[in-house]
Amino acid sequence: MIKRTLALSLAGTLALGAAAACGSSNSGNSQSAGSGGASTPTVTLMVGGIDKQIYLPYELAQQLGYYKKYGVNMQLSTEVDGGVGAEDAVASGQVDMAGAWYVHTIDFQVKGKAVEDIVQLSGAPGEREMCGTNSGVHSAADFAGKTLGVTDLGSGTDSLTKFLAAQKGIKTSQIHRLAVGAGSTAIAAIKSGSAQCVMTTQPTVTALQQKGLAYSAIDLATTAGATQALGGAWPAAGVLARTDWVNSNKATVQKVVDALVDTMHWINTHSAADIADKLPQSYVQNSLVTKADYIAALTQDKGQFLPDGIMPAGGPKTVLAMEELIGSATSSVNLGTTFTNDFAVAANKAEGYTVTTTPAGSDG
């Protein structure tokens, strides 16, 4: 599996591709960093690509001042090609939390590690299978014999690619999966022909379309699209943390979830343009995409975000079904230990919000 480096996001000013070393912290206690104050806990959270639209809530919460509002000093970082991934960083204790996909909690349980999802931010992967204009691929039924780009081997996009193929009776051995990352590297893979398709997110999707290099063959970016392609709501972006850390730092966890639940309601009640205006300039206007294109893409795919941070009923079961079909897990997985809605329910109640997402039970 290709590894990824850490890049520190200081007050949301991370430029695309910029990277700096990020050390682990002994957070979750009463110590503070910066101007947080003596009683303000410091939390480190690494995101699996902080400038991707699917992961925008983590930085948006920082820009809105919500971490500070709820009494936590949040240190955000991101992963880029060459180092450790966010999910592995949290499992190994390098960071306290990860902004990553729920599916990793199932993978970790299979490996004997207890990692749980403490707040769920999206009900769809936010991905699209972008296929080159001459690829001849219009659905997963056309995958056989093709080279398919994924973010990383072993990543969530890798699992989804294998699952889409398996649904059409195509074995993993009949496709070639290639790690292409995102952004310029994913675009280069399509342009050079080293991959016929890539599974990627905004703003890379729009960049490929604007350049006339690829079209969206499979929509996993919206709840409706994910439900059609995957058989149900597919919870993706959330916050993952080691269960032992959560149990030892419940007050701090609640502060983080409070901030993100408030952020999700803000997203639900504001336009894509409002959101773009709050994010760092480098996220919404860069060499890949104009701000107008970023806003148009977010308007199209904004429905992936859940309004209340609740893990949706049936979501964990849908993800487990995928893991079973591709041979990464069995029905012996205890879904009830891979997520919790307790913190999100408490946050919505404290903030006076009405929960509109039907919560998943202990069986997923």
Side-chain angles (χ1 to χ4, degrees):
M1 175 177 177
I2 294 176
K3 295 298 182 181
R4 295 159 284 192
T5 55
L6 313 186
L8 188 63
S9 173
L10 298 175
T13 59
L14 176 70
L16 286 175
C22 174
S24 62
S25 78
N26 212 1
S27 53
N29 52 31
S30 62
Q31 296 180 354
S32 64
S35 58
S39 62
T40 303
T42 295
V43 174
T44 54
L45 189 158
M46 187 195 295
V47 184
I50 201 167
D51 55 353
K52 296 179 181 178
Q53 279 194 5
I54 61 170
Y55 290 141
L56 71 83
Y58 311 101
E59 181 64 44
L60 181 60
Q62 191 83 288
Q63 297 298 315
L64 291 172
Y66 284 175
Y67 297 123
K68 183 178 180 180
K69 173 183 175 181
Y70 290 101
V72 63
N73 178 40
M74 178 60 76
Q75 295 184 347
L76 294 175
S77 61
T78 192
E79 58 180 42
V80 293
D81 292 342
V84 68
E87 69 278 2
D88 291 322
V90 77
S92 62
Q94 294 179 53
V95 293
D96 304 317
M97 297 179 174
W101 282 7
Y102 162 70
V103 64
H104 295 299
T105 66
I106 295 175
D107 294 335
F108 282 128
Q109 186 177 128
V110 171
K111 297 173 183 176
K113 298 180 180 180
V115 175
E116 62 187 86
D117 186 312
I118 60 171
V119 59
Q120 189 59 37
L121 308 184
S122 69
E127 306 276 347
R128 291 180 185 274
E129 190 72 27
M130 299 298 296
C131 296
T133 52
N134 297 319
S135 66
V137 177
H138 298 284
S139 75
D142 302 318
F143 278 1
K146 304 295 184 181
T147 296
L148 307 173
V150 298
T151 308
D152 228 346
L153 298 182
S155 68
T157 56
D158 191 23
S159 295
L160 280 172
T161 298
K162 291 188 288 185
F163 181 53
L164 291 172
Q167 285 182 311
K168 300 299 183 181
I170 298 172
K171 298 178 180 179
T172 301
S173 60
Q174 294 177 279
I175 60 176
H176 178 229
R177 292 131 46 233
L178 179 67
V180 299
S184 59
T185 53
I187 292 171
I190 289 290
K191 189 173 184 179
S192 68
S194 58
Q196 282 74 61
C197 303
V198 297
M199 185 175 289
T200 191
T201 65
Q202 299 289 5
T204 308
V205 166
T206 293
L208 284 165
Q209 291 173 327
Q210 293 286 7
K211 294 176 184 294
L213 295 173
Y215 54 86
S216 175
I218 303 173
D219 169 21
L220 304 179
T222 63
T223 301
T227 298
Q228 179 179 357
L230 304 174
W234 206 93
V239 175
L240 313 187
R242 299 180 313 281
T243 298
D244 61 345
W245 192 91
V246 171
N247 291 338
S248 299
N249 298 276
K250 289 187 176 182
T252 297
V253 171
Q254 188 64 62
K255 293 175 188 292
V256 174
V257 176
D258 287 347
L260 285 168
V261 164
D262 211 355
T263 301
M264 301 317 293
H265 282 281
W266 194 94
I267 290 172
N268 191 48
T269 55
H270 287 76
S271 68
D274 292 335
I275 295 168
D277 284 343
K278 290 293 184 180
L279 291 170
Q281 180 77 3
S282 62
Y283 289 25
V284 303
Q285 186 171 349
N286 49 65
S287 60
L288 290 181
V289 67
T290 66
K291 187 172 182 179
D293 288 337
Y294 185 97
I295 291 171
L298 182 55
T299 299
Q300 182 181 18
D301 293 348
K302 184 169 170 275
Q304 69 188 272
F305 295 115
L306 298 170
D308 42 32
I310 298 292
M311 175 65 75
K317 286 183 178 179
T318 301
V319 176
L320 178 58
M322 179 196 79
E323 293 289 88
E324 290 180 27
L325 184 60
I326 65 176
S328 296
T330 69
S331 57
S332 63
V333 168
N334 181 359
L335 287 176
T337 63
T338 62
F339 71 93
T340 177
N341 276 322
D342 292 349
F343 296 106
V345 168
N348 279 281
K349 183 177 181 180
E351 295 164 19
Y353 293 127
T354 299
V355 172
T356 56
T357 302
T358 302
S362 60
D363 63 349

